[in-house]
Amino acid sequence: MINLKYETWVNVCRGIFGQSENSLKEYLQLYPFSLLSDDEKVYIQKEDFFDKFILNGAFFKNKLIFDFPKHYIQKGNSSFRSTKLVSPLLYIYLESIGYHVWEAYEKESNKTRCYYAGDFQEGDFHYKRSYDNFYADVNECSRRYRYYYKFDINNFFDNLDINILFDNINRTSNIIDSRTALIYKRLLQTIGSGKFPTVENSCSLSFLATCVYLDLFDKKLETLMDDLEDIERYQIVRYVDDLYIFFDTSEESLNDSVSFIKNSVIHFYREINLQLNEQKSTYGNANNISDELSAALYDHYVNELDINISSMFNESTVKTFIDELFVIAKERAHNHNRYKEIKESIFSRTGIQYSSEEVFRYLIYYRRSLFKDAELISKLFALIQTDYKLIKYDIRNFINMLLNTRNGDLIKFFLKQIFENNNLDSFDITMIINYLISRSFQHQPLLEKLAQYEPEICKYITNYCNDSFMKSVISDENNGYLHLILEGSYDFGNDLKVWYIYFMYCHYRSSGDSLEAFSYYKSYFDRITALLMHYKGVERTGKGKPNYKMFYKQSSIIRSFNRINFNSAISDIKDLIEKAHDLRNHNPINHSSAEVMDDESLNVSEIEQVIGELELLLELGFKGAVIN
């Protein structure tokens, strides 16, 4: 169904599976991969699994594939990204899309140093190393150039135009054929509810947004900088939508240069439907950039020097931090900016370039023993008792800090605040999710509390985070007759058209376009019926192949299904097939009469009911015996 190479699938699997178990267990999206056995990893990477289940699109028949719960990922300013969770198998598929493009895409911009959340070249599918290298690059440039201009984009991911993205992918060569492009495009639109999706720790989506979507922009910016006579030299560095232009010019030419650069950037961004965030766009002397950028790790990554954080920060530092938070909690005078100011003042030191966030996280994740100090635990207890909502400014770090104490009374008190709150907001839900991840989801009362507000996230946890997700991949419950492919009983997976049609049905169903969805489902039903009757030996062509042409006729479908003994109660087959054909023939998608548009009593639930009954007919048909 797509022109994805097996080698691409294997490389992506290795990149994901190769991350440390601790790293995988930090994130809800990646957690399921930490539960895979070595044998299951080998099975997923087998060419037979790829050919039968992935390449042809058969895995889209899995009932869980098109579930996309919203996810809660907190940004540095305490707000939340609009993100979705996807099934683990679909996550691998998504990463394969970006890798597929990366293997063949040739960037037109050649002077801009681009970083995204990972590095396909290095087989690195995690953002951390790339992000740190970006900071190191920025710090290096701040020492080499006189001025800098930093640009930010308003709601970058929400405003990416998927059509522009795919035009860029195939701009110079046919990297993705038209059918594959349509499937990839529809899939991204479905996950993102019409927009470019954001998925936690997706190297692929970050690459597409950075190195493909912004490629022509970067090329135009390079040309502009080359042509500016007042610019002596320059370097452009970007991490996704964070763009830095470093340059040298005379002091007399500075105002004219920055004005021209800014106006050009605004224009170039508008050409690709993006808008500059002027409040976050600044310029100045490059040697002052650390005031603007919470910079990190220059010496560690560029000069390969280790800076001993432990010698500068200890439990006394953390106690002082908690004391100052206690003051603003007691006064009920806290907000995100005040919290950030305190964090900066406590965890920053003259002479090092680690950011306060880097220091705080280092202490939490690598000096856990600090938090077992009795006095520190007492201070944390007092803070939580005064106002546990202060945690909302830095949820992930605080949850891990509380857990590091290993103090049952403190942790129980924190959970008590959650359980007594009957009006949870996004911050509370994020606290629950982060706590459950840290506890490997072993807290049933908290899961039940979460289910009251986010049942789809709980469904994701149940399906993928308590046991290997491969059980959901191969189970009859989630796959129905698709298990025949995986077990090798019948190779109707080689029929690429049937799974393409089914994918399009799923896309329109998820988009809420019921008439389009039914049109595709009916085509799928007719084609899969031909495969069913071939499998059962009811109807074949003279060449022993499925008789597709026969099963566009309702009489043939009715007659063939009546030859199967279902061994269970089933509705009137004749009535069901006739109703389905009427809906298809009166559907404006299929027929110009469009009579269904005149039926004011017809609603979405009726269409869904017909689809459900047809699907049941297929399920029972594959299980039933043929009557001679």
Side-chain angles (χ1 to χ4, degrees):
M1 187 168 75
I2 55 173
N3 66 336
L4 185 69
K5 294 184 297 184
Y6 170 63
E7 291 75 14
T8 297
W9 177 261
V10 171
N11 287 334
V12 168
C13 288
R14 288 173 179 168
I16 296 171
F17 300 162
Q19 299 178 57
S20 71
E21 184 174 320
N22 288 337
S23 178
L24 294 173
K25 285 187 173 181
E26 283 190 51
Y27 307 97
L28 185 54
Q29 181 63 69
L30 298 182
Y31 192 94
F33 296 108
S34 70
L35 303 178
L36 288 175
S37 68
D38 289 340
D39 287 343
E40 287 171 327
K41 292 174 184 177
V42 170
Y43 179 73
I44 293 171
Q45 295 178 73
K46 282 186 175 180
E47 190 165 7
D48 188 54
F49 177 83
F50 175 75
D51 289 340
K52 284 187 173 182
F53 203 53
I54 303 301
L55 185 62
N56 57 24
F59 82 104
F60 286 117
K61 186 65 179 66
N62 183 286
K63 294 177 182 177
L64 303 175
I65 286 292
F66 275 81
D67 289 343
F68 310 119
K70 67 179 179 181
H71 188 23
Y72 293 80
I73 300 178
Q74 191 175 35
K75 297 194 290 187
N77 63 0
S78 292
S79 63
F80 294 91
R81 296 187 187 278
S82 177
T83 60
K84 297 290 184 68
L85 288 166
V86 299
S87 73
L89 204 60
L90 186 57
Y91 179 84
I92 303 175
Y93 191 83
L94 279 176
E95 296 307 276
S96 298
I97 292 174
Y99 197 96
H100 176 187
V101 176
W102 169 79
E103 288 179 297
Y105 187 79
E106 295 183 8
K107 288 176 89 280
E108 293 201 24
S109 58
N110 52 34
K111 297 181 181 179
T112 302
R113 295 205 281 257
C114 281
Y115 299 88
Y116 55 96
D119 187 342
F120 286 138
Q121 182 69 45
E122 298 297 323
D124 185 1
F125 284 70
H126 194 273
Y127 75 91
K128 185 66 169 65
R129 187 178 296 117
S130 177
Y131 194 60
D132 288 339
N133 287 337
F134 160 71
Y135 270 135
D137 200 346
V138 167
N139 276 274
E140 181 186 15
C141 288
S142 72
R143 301 182 183 196
R144 293 175 50 218
Y145 292 88
R146 188 174 182 184
Y147 300 107
Y148 81 98
Y149 209 141
K150 174 185 179 292
F151 293 98
D152 188 81
I153 300 173
N154 278 326
N155 302 316
F156 174 60
F157 287 103
D158 286 344
N159 289 311
L160 293 178
D161 189 318
I162 293 179
N163 290 319
I164 291 177
L165 171 65
F166 279 86
D167 286 344
N168 286 355
I169 289 173
N170 278 347
R171 183 175 60 253
T172 57
S173 61
N174 190 33
I175 296 174
I176 302 179
D177 63 67
S178 58
R179 181 177 60 192
T180 302
L182 178 61
I183 293 167
Y184 286 172
K185 184 185 298 186
R186 293 287 184 263
L187 181 61
L188 296 184
Q189 289 171 331
T190 304
I191 297 170
S193 301
K195 298 180 179 179
F196 186 87
T198 306
V199 174
E200 187 176 38
N201 283 300
S202 173
C203 178
S204 173
L205 295 177
S206 184
F207 165 78
L208 292 173
T210 306
C211 299
V212 179
Y213 195 91
L214 295 175
D215 186 21
L216 283 184
F217 170 91
D218 289 343
K219 179 62 178 177
K220 290 180 179 180
L221 188 56
E222 290 170 3
T223 302
L224 171 78
M225 298 299 293
D226 285 338
D227 292 343
L228 281 177
E229 294 181 358
D230 292 329
I231 300 298
E232 299 164 17
R233 61 188 187 122
Y234 72 91
Q235 178 61 58
I236 304 172
V237 184
R238 74 155 62 251
Y239 182 87
V240 193
D241 61 322
D242 286 336
L243 174 70
Y244 285 84
I245 304 175
F246 294 92
F247 60 96
D248 287 339
T249 189
S250 65
E251 187 174 348
E252 295 78 19
S253 301
L254 179 61
N255 287 335
D256 288 340
S257 295
V258 297
S259 177
F260 190 77
I261 291 171
K262 176 184 176 181
N263 291 338
S264 300
V265 166
I266 291 174
H267 175 68
F268 295 157
Y269 273 143
R270 283 179 59 84
E271 289 183 330
I272 51 175
N273 297 340
L274 298 175
Q275 185 176 4
L276 187 68
N277 185 340
E278 297 199 43
Q279 291 183 337
K280 291 186 178 181
S281 299
T282 58
Y283 73 92
N285 291 321
N287 57 10
N288 294 328
I289 199 168
S290 59
D291 296 333
E292 159 65 23
L293 177 70
S294 296
L297 311 181
Y298 176 82
D299 284 327
H300 181 67
Y301 285 98
V302 177
N303 297 329
E304 299 183 354
L305 297 177
D306 285 329
I307 298 175
N308 189 356
I309 290 179
S310 301
S311 66
M312 302 180 183
F313 305 92
N314 52 36
E315 60 265 25
S316 296
T317 312
V318 181
K319 289 175 187 176
T320 303
F321 177 56
I322 300 303
D323 284 341
E324 295 207 22
L325 293 182
F326 179 77
V327 172
I328 62 174
K330 190 174 182 179
E331 295 175 352
R332 294 289 193 270
H334 55 80
N335 54 46
H336 178 262
N337 287 335
R338 185 73 187 105
Y339 170 81
K340 189 175 180 180
E341 289 170 3
I342 293 173
K343 188 175 176 181
E344 284 287 329
S345 66
I346 300 298
F347 295 110
S348 297
R349 290 286 189 277
T350 302
I352 69 168
Q353 289 184 298
Y354 283 97
S355 69
S356 59
E357 171 64 16
E358 287 283 346
V359 173
F360 192 32
R361 280 180 57 82
Y362 173 85
L363 296 175
I364 291 171
Y365 288 94
Y366 298 100
R367 294 295 309 279
R368 290 185 170 93
S369 60
L370 294 179
F371 300 91
K372 295 179 182 179
D373 180 89
E375 184 183 0
L376 176 56
I377 292 173
S378 177
K379 290 177 180 293
L380 275 171
F381 216 124
L383 178 64
I384 300 300
Q385 284 179 314
T386 303
D387 189 358
Y388 91 97
K389 286 286 189 179
L390 193 137
I391 293 175
K392 70 182 182 181
Y393 302 124
D394 201 353
I395 292 172
R396 192 172 174 189
N397 284 334
F398 262 98
I399 294 296
N400 281 284
M401 182 164 58
L402 292 175
L403 292 173
N404 283 348
T405 68
R406 300 290 180 90
N407 186 284
D409 291 336
L410 173 59
I411 294 170
K412 286 177 183 177
F413 184 81
F414 162 69
L415 293 176
K416 184 172 178 286
Q417 312 308 305
I418 296 290
F419 281 114
E420 290 181 351
N421 187 347
N422 293 317
N423 188 28
L424 300 185
D425 59 21
S426 296
F427 297 98
D428 297 306
I429 293 170
T430 307
M431 291 180 198
I432 292 175
I433 292 172
N434 278 272
Y435 182 88
L436 286 171
I437 291 172
S438 299
R439 283 291 189 244
S440 300
F441 306 97
Q442 300 303 306
H443 198 298
Q444 190 58 36
L446 202 56
L447 282 166
E448 292 171 0
K449 182 77 172 180
L450 178 63
Q452 297 174 17
Y453 294 84
E454 291 295 343
E456 291 302 309
I457 290 181
C458 279
K459 180 181 176 183
Y460 178 92
I461 293 170
T462 299
N463 287 322
Y464 305 127
C465 298
N466 293 324
D467 206 345
S468 169
F469 69 82
M470 285 305 292
K471 293 184 178 180
S472 71
V473 170
I474 64 178
S475 72
D476 289 357
E477 179 183 354
N478 294 320
N479 293 297
Y481 42 87
L482 192 59
H483 76 280
L484 296 172
I485 293 179
L486 294 173
E487 294 175 357
S489 302
Y490 179 61
D491 194 15
F492 57 82
N494 281 332
D495 186 324
L496 304 183
K497 294 178 182 178
V498 72
W499 302 123
Y500 171 77
I501 294 169
Y502 189 82
F503 169 82
M504 294 302 292
Y505 152 67
C506 291
H507 164 68
Y508 283 112
R509 181 193 63 193
S510 296
S511 302
D513 299 317
S514 55
L515 291 179
E516 288 89 343
F518 182 81
S519 177
Y520 274 104
Y521 184 84
K522 185 58 174 67
S523 296
Y524 164 77
F525 176 83
D526 293 348
R527 193 167 186 89
I528 203 74
T529 295
L531 291 164
L532 165 61
M533 297 310 164
H534 177 265
Y535 172 63
K536 293 292 184 181
V538 174
E539 296 287 352
R540 299 183 182 183
T541 65
K543 298 180 180 180
K545 296 181 179 180
N547 195 340
Y548 296 113
K549 293 183 179 179
M550 175 178 288
F551 293 100
Y552 294 124
K553 303 173 184 177
Q554 65 178 13
S555 59
S556 299
I557 295 175
I558 294 169
R559 182 180 67 250
S560 295
F561 272 108
N562 281 332
R563 292 187 59 189
I564 295 176
N565 181 5
F566 292 98
N567 295 319
S568 60
I570 191 165
S571 59
D572 186 281
I573 293 175
K574 182 175 183 295
D575 180 65
L576 174 61
I577 300 303
E578 287 178 349
K579 185 186 295 185
H581 271 261
D582 285 343
L583 271 176
R584 197 263 299 277
N585 293 336
H586 298 161
N587 191 331
I589 308 300
N590 304 103
H591 201 282
S592 61
S593 66
E595 294 177 30
V596 73
M597 305 297 291
D598 299 324
D599 187 353
E600 297 179 1
S601 64
L602 183 67
N603 55 47
V604 173
S605 62
E606 289 182 70
I607 295 175
E608 291 176 347
Q609 181 180 348
V610 172
I611 292 175
E613 292 177 359
L614 291 173
E615 189 66 14
L616 177 62
L617 185 63
L618 291 171
E619 294 278 0
L620 296 176
F622 276 101
K623 295 177 182 178
V626 176
I627 303 172
N628 293 324

